Amino acid sequence: METLRRTRTRRRARAGAVGLLLSAVLIPSALASAEDDPLRARTFEVRHKSLPEAYEVVGAVLSEQGQVTVQPSSRTLVVVDRESVLERVAQVLESFDVPPRDVEITLSLFLGTDPREAGQHVPRKSLSEEIRGVAETLPNFTKWTAYESLGSRVLVGAEGSRVVANLADHYRVILEIESVTDRVVRFRSITLHRAVPREDGGEQVEDEVRLAATVEAGKTRMVGAAKGPYADRALFLTLRVAPR
């Protein structure tokens, strides 16, 4: 029993010594780390993106000690964190806070009619080669075989903007551009409606198509709508995007 007690005593003494040794090593190490990478405050100006978006981006890279304050009047973020983290924040904001990109959008509106009608009712000479090619491929994807072009427009918009294009027969396309990259353009919403003039000078607006969409650069995206499953005609809107 005496030997057992002495063994336990020696073990406790060794454990205590190890604990003191670890404390002696870890505490100075932590102090040295804090001295080498102290807490600092730094102000970042947000020039192009929205402050709430920048706030979310910065918050994702902060350490547990970090905090960020929004200054709307000066469009700045005041960030408090370790110096190493502040450097990462600067890099993240540099790649994030860039001017909105432009995109060229080609819109074409077609009216598909009863599939029992033969031929494609598209005046070839009045259409560009690209638009004529779209009209000729539409029957491969829809049940309608006859098409009439209602209008075509080429316009330029920027990400984060709202673009309106008037087409023939009172049709109007409203595009809300969410983001633009080299590969794809994301639209928060694409709305096609028909604005019919009223006698009082106003408009009666009827939505034909409303959806969100992602369009690949260099490819044609088609959206369509019919009045019902047995309708004898339908509208088809095609989009082609070219990021700038």
Side-chain angles (χ1 to χ4, degrees):
M1 290 295 291
E2 185 64 28
T3 301
L4 180 59
R5 289 195 189 96
R6 289 177 181 175
T7 301
R8 288 177 177 173
T9 302
R10 292 194 190 99
R11 287 177 180 173
R12 292 194 187 101
R14 284 198 297 268
V18 171
L20 289 174
L21 179 60
L22 288 175
S23 299
V25 172
L26 294 177
I27 292 176
S29 176
L31 291 175
S33 176
E35 291 176 358
D36 295 339
D37 196 12
L39 287 171
R40 302 286 190 193
R42 186 171 170 182
T43 300
F44 298 91
E45 182 181 4
V46 181
R47 298 181 179 180
H48 305 291
K49 302 297 185 179
S50 71
L51 283 175
E53 288 178 321
Y55 177 88
E56 293 295 329
V57 169
V58 170
V61 299
L62 294 185
S63 69
E64 293 182 357
Q65 296 83 20
Q67 55 181 292
V68 55
T69 304
V70 178
Q71 303 287 344
S73 59
S74 58
R75 288 189 55 81
T76 57
L77 300 175
V78 180
V79 183
V80 178
D81 212 322
R82 301 291 179 188
E83 282 189 345
S84 59
V85 177
L86 294 179
E87 290 301 320
R88 290 204 301 271
V89 169
Q91 294 171 2
V92 168
L93 282 178
E94 183 179 0
S95 60
F96 169 76
D97 187 31
V98 294
R101 290 190 63 177
D102 290 337
V103 56
E104 182 180 279
I105 306 168
T106 301
L107 297 171
S108 300
L109 184 63
F110 297 93
L111 177 65
T113 54
D114 194 321
R116 291 171 297 182
E117 298 183 30
Q120 293 177 346
H121 300 167
V122 181
R124 298 177 62 86
K125 293 183 179 180
S126 66
L127 301 179
S128 68
E129 182 177 349
E130 179 179 342
I131 304 306
R132 187 165 62 244
V134 172
E136 291 172 348
T137 58
L138 279 172
N140 298 330
F141 304 98
T142 74
K143 72 174 186 178
W144 282 268
T145 58
Y147 293 89
E148 175 187 355
S149 173
L150 299 182
S152 180
R153 287 282 305 276
V154 178
L155 59 155
V156 176
E159 56 183 341
S161 69
R162 184 174 183 265
V163 182
V164 180
N166 292 316
L167 299 173
D169 294 331
H170 312 294
Y171 286 103
R172 184 178 300 152
V173 180
I174 302 173
L175 305 169
E176 293 189 11
I177 306 170
E178 181 176 349
S179 62
V180 179
T181 68
D182 290 333
R183 293 193 312 106
V184 298
V185 177
R186 289 185 172 84
F187 293 91
R188 186 173 290 105
S189 69
I190 299 173
T191 304
L192 168 66
H193 62 222
R194 189 164 184 259
V196 181
R198 296 197 307 257
E199 293 183 357
D200 61 3
E203 290 181 334
Q204 178 178 339
V205 177
E206 301 174 355
D207 282 357
E208 303 287 349
V209 175
R210 183 188 294 269
L211 77 165
T214 298
V215 182
E216 293 185 52
K219 295 186 179 181
T220 300
R221 173 72 184 267
M222 179 182 66
V223 296
K227 291 299 183 183
Y230 303 107
D232 59 359
R233 59 183 57 202
L235 289 170
F236 294 95
L237 177 68
T238 65
L239 299 90
R240 192 176 181 87
V241 298
R244 291 185 172 182

